[in-house]
Amino acid sequence: MPISKTDKMIAEKDGPIGWITFNNPERRNAVSMAMWEALADIVRDYENDKAIRVIVLKGAGDLAFVSGADISEFEEKRSSPETTRIYNEASGMATVALKRVGKPTIAMIRGFCIGGGVSVALSCDMRIAAEGAKFGVPAAKLGLGYEAEGVRKLMDVVGPAFAKEIFFTARQFTAQEAVAMGLVNRLVPDAQLETYVRECAGTIAANAPLTVASIKTIVGEVLKDETERDMALCQQVVDRCFNSEDYVEGRSAFMAKRKPMFTGH
């Protein structure tokens, strides 16, 4: 049974890497309601597949990662408070699933990363972009309201001053500007983007899954307001690493000067 209920979202498992492709190139990979729903389904499947250790998101073709929401649906899907609420719940569930999945996620960004594309990218742990990528949040040009959680997600990455600039101007920023703001982790020549991302994902996949997952958990908790942090959970994931078979394997491999073979146990 296919993971995705629409051919506009493609799920491919390649060894320890789970690929997610936004497959709507004729609309520069603009995301429809069905695509948001499918994204959540794919992420849940990868979460439950122990063979998958890293998740990579990309856009089909060379023009865009994700150019935003599919505006052609707005009259039907976002023209009233009720339909807008339903749409926002679907997109919110997808980005929350992506943000909370217990495995590292990488946004491989080529071309346009606009509006909802920025939201998707921010929901990933890392953002690796081609030199020709373009970023922007055009909400102020469309009269859209932006939920506080979405604003905070951007602020957590670029800080309040750059977040205001991005929203106030609603203009498109170059990949170089995105790096300067901290929006992008790495900038890569266009022709080398996929090779670089595959190598990066492979490096992460070869490391101890429990350690990687513990860091994702701890960073997520530290980003919360101090009163909301679950420090007991942070200690729990650290203890799980020290009590694991992988910790024994890591020590043994180091002493024997060989490559460790981690299992996530």
Side-chain angles (χ1 to χ4, degrees):
M1 182 177 179
I3 304 169
S4 175
K5 298 174 184 176
T6 171
D7 61 2
K8 299 296 185 184
M9 293 296 292
I10 299 174
E12 298 173 291
K13 298 179 181 181
D14 182 10
I17 304 173
W19 291 85
I20 301 176
T21 303
F22 292 88
N23 185 38
N24 193 13
E26 63 275 11
R27 290 188 176 275
R28 293 185 175 179
N29 299 322
V31 186
S32 66
M33 181 85 152
M35 291 169 71
W36 285 123
E37 293 170 344
L39 175 58
D41 290 339
I42 296 169
V43 171
R44 281 191 288 267
D45 180 84
Y46 287 174
E47 171 83 90
N48 295 324
D49 188 338
K50 293 181 179 179
I52 298 299
R53 294 190 179 183
V54 184
I55 300 170
V56 180
L57 288 82
K58 66 176 182 175
D62 297 328
L63 295 179
F65 171 65
V66 171
S67 63
D70 189 344
I71 296 177
S72 68
E73 285 193 330
F74 278 21
E75 193 60 34
E76 177 186 356
K77 304 290 187 181
R78 301 180 77 177
S79 60
S80 71
E82 179 60 17
T83 56
T84 297
R85 180 188 63 79
I86 294 171
Y87 181 94
N88 288 345
E89 285 180 357
S91 62
M93 285 178 64
T95 54
V96 166
L98 190 57
K99 189 176 180 67
R100 293 182 180 176
V101 65
K103 300 176 181 183
T105 53
I106 302 173
M108 189 183 95
I109 303 167
R110 188 191 305 278
F112 292 100
C113 180
I114 308 295
V118 173
S119 179
V120 170
L122 287 169
S123 299
C124 294
D125 299 308
M126 297 171 58
R127 289 157 292 282
I128 301 173
E131 290 176 337
K134 297 280 189 179
F135 299 82
V137 182
K141 291 184 177 180
L142 296 169
L144 296 174
Y146 226 86
E147 301 290 339
E149 183 54 36
V151 175
R152 176 173 178 169
K153 188 161 62 173
L154 181 60
M155 283 177 55
D156 283 344
V157 174
V158 303
F162 280 131
K164 289 176 184 177
E165 181 180 355
I166 290 168
F167 280 111
F168 288 175
T169 66
R171 72 175 178 88
Q172 290 184 12
F173 295 83
T174 66
Q176 291 74 17
E177 288 177 303
V179 170
M181 292 187 289
L183 182 57
V184 169
N185 293 74
R186 291 284 181 267
L187 198 59
V188 182
D190 291 48
Q192 299 174 23
L193 179 62
E194 184 162 338
T195 298
Y196 184 94
V197 170
R198 283 185 180 276
E199 290 177 353
C200 181
T203 296
I204 295 170
N207 288 332
L210 294 179
T211 301
V212 172
S214 72
I215 295 300
K216 179 162 184 172
T217 296
I218 292 169
V219 170
E221 290 300 319
V222 171
L223 281 173
K224 294 179 181 178
D225 292 333
E226 190 171 354
T227 56
E228 298 176 357
R229 294 174 191 161
D230 188 341
M231 300 310 293
L233 174 61
C234 292
Q235 189 59 52
Q236 179 182 326
V237 297
V238 170
D239 292 343
R240 187 182 180 197
C241 292
F242 281 117
N243 293 328
S244 70
E245 296 173 11
D246 278 353
Y247 180 44
V248 176
E249 167 65 8
R251 300 199 315 272
S252 299
F254 180 82
M255 296 301 294
K257 297 182 180 181
R258 62 173 174 80
K259 184 179 179 180
M261 299 297 291
F262 295 117
T263 64
H265 297 99

